[in-house]
Every structure is written in C-alpha cells, then in structure tokens.
Amino acid sequence: MKIIISDYATSMMADHSYEFEILKHHHPEWFIKTVVYDPGDQSEFTRELADTDALITAFIPADAKLFTKAPRLKLISVNAMGFNNVNLEDAAKYGIRVCALPDYCSDDVAEFTLTLILSLTKQLKAYDLLLNDTHVWQYDALLPQKRLAAQTLGIFGLGNIGQKVARLARSFGMNIIAYDPYLPQNIAEELRIPLLSATDIYKKADIITNHMRLTASNRAFFNKSAFNQMGASRHPLFINVARGESVDEKALLDALDTGMIRGAGLDVLSTEKPELEGHPLLKRSNVILTPHAAFYSHDSVMELQRFSCQNTVNFFEDKLDKVNHFVDFDQRAAQNSITLSS
C-alpha cells in the first residue's frame, strides 16, 4: 500500500509525523511519502503517483488528467472541508472514491471572521500605517466608524461556520441577516435569523461575510453587479474566508477603488498560489490580507491530520461506514441540497 501526502509548497504542513503515526499505527508495512506539488515541474509528483493507492491533499487539481497517470489510485482523502478541486465526475469514471473532512475548524474560522470585522471596523491597520509611515499620533486622523451594535451583518452561507459567526456577532449586539437558499426555513427560524435574497442583503448590510461552499453555481458570485448593489446603499465592509473563486477579483478591486465597499478582509484570493509581487490588493489601509490562515490553530491542525488520515485507514480496512464523509459524484446533489455553507 502506497499513500502520498502532497500539496503546493505553501500549503504543506511543516511536520507530518502525526499523519505518519496514524497511517502506520496498525499498518507499519504501508509506504507513506510526502511530495511537494510543483505545477511548473510535476515530474516527481507524476513519478510517485504512478503506483499510489491513496492521495491525501487539499488543493491539488484532481481530474481526468491526473487520474490517467494514477492507474492504482483508489482514494482521494481531501484534508479540507471544501472539495471543489476534485472533479467528482471524473473520479467516478475512474472508480476513485473521494472523501472530505467534517467540521474540524468552524470555531477557528468564526473567530477569525470576527477578528477581521473588528480590525477593519476599528481601523487598526490604517492607524498602524499612519503611525509607522507619518508618525501621526492623532485619534481623529481617521473618520469615526459606527460601533458594531449599530451595524447589520449579512452572512452568506449559514452552515456551521456561518451560524457560529452569527452567535459571536450577536454577543456584540449586531443585527443578523443571512442568505442561504439550501438552509431549511425552520432552522433559520430557530436561529432567529431572517433569510433574505442576496439583493436585499446588499441593500441592508453594513458588513457582508462569505461562508459559502464553492459550487459551480456560485463561482464569481460576488461580481460587478453585486458590488454595484452594495455601493448603491451602505458601502459595506466585505469579508471572505471561504473560497477566493466566489469573488470576481477585478470587480472587488473596482469596488474598493470607487468606494462601493469601504474595506475588505480577505483570507483567500482567486488562486491558492497568488503572485504577490505588485499585487493590487496589497498596501491598502482598508484591506487586510491573510494567507488562507482562518482555519489555522494547534487544535484544528491536529483534527485535520487525524480526520484525513483516519478516513484513509478506515477506507482500506473496509470500514466504509466510519469514513467521514464521502463526497462522491452520485452523492453530490445530496451534499449540495443540505447546505451551501462551508
């Protein structure tokens, strides 16, 4: 049995010893290898893939092009909650099962979301730049902002993360509204959160935060039209800690440049490996960028490694009922009908 743990260099964990421990605990004979995925030179990855039975990855594009090079591949264990990088239809054609992680980091992402909201509302980056660049020690050098209790938060995607964001935001006295066409109405009523159309949220929200799982239907969901609608009313802060592909990045830049939104907190960009030299979103006092770090804590990293590796063990021990959870193509509709939220 051969298992590869692989991803882009920027996404690989520094230490894989815990993963090796789990995979080899009852199977010391298994061959486990970590391989850095280099899209510019895939020779090593392709060579290792040729006799691999399982691939553990979060962001490597997995489709027919990859599957033709992996005749023994039986399982892709996605060590993330989102599985949009795997072409499930192609996987099914090649007889490859796909599983992803259950909730392992919703607390961390919710906390991170509120951190971005607070930092932008209180203009921490702008004050920091002001002090460092011009040495101006003056509280009213920036315009005052409304306290959170006077603002409405619009949440896109009211799954586990979105619901935890709502609970944290309520502790600051915020008014909460949400968009999630897949959430049963009775759950929204229990949460006491009105479900509105996207257009209504653009009109009413002072802060908009995205927690939708990426699907074909919401790619570039936040586009020029969406930002124009935001700019026609409250000029909200925009937070994205879900997937960068949900946002038309050019439209976002235009919205920032024209003041349609008053700031942005972005944990993700349009690609997992952005070219940062000269990136137009950098060095803005009203934009906070982080390197897809919202999930990142000691606890979440341990859970991520444990779930993805234990899923792999359970699969090859034929304990399919303990794999949490399969996201195969024939189950995709069922997955999407439950919730869009990550």
Side-chain angles (χ1 to χ4, degrees), residues 211-227:
H211 303 285
M212 294 189 295
R213 186 189 300 279
L214 184 68
T215 68
S217 63
N218 65 14
R219 194 173 291 273
F221 186 93
F222 299 100
N223 53 22
K224 181 177 181 179
S225 173
F227 287 116

Side-chain angles (χ1 to χ4, degrees), residues 142-163:
L142 302 173
L143 293 174
Q145 302 294 307
K146 293 192 294 184
R147 61 180 54 145
L148 291 186
Q151 299 192 57
T152 294
L153 177 64
I155 300 174
F156 281 77
L158 203 56
N160 287 338
I161 295 171
Q163 291 176 29

Side-chain angles (χ1 to χ4, degrees), residues 153-158 176-180 193-197 201:
L153 177 64
I155 300 174
F156 281 77
L158 203 56
I176 313 295
I177 54 179
Y179 168 86
D180 193 328
I193 298 176
L195 290 180
L196 306 180
S197 69
I201 291 183

Side-chain angles (χ1 to χ4, degrees), residues 286-299:
N286 63 340
V287 175
I288 297 176
L289 286 182
T290 51
H292 206 156
F295 80 98
Y296 191 52
S297 71
H298 171 79
D299 307 273

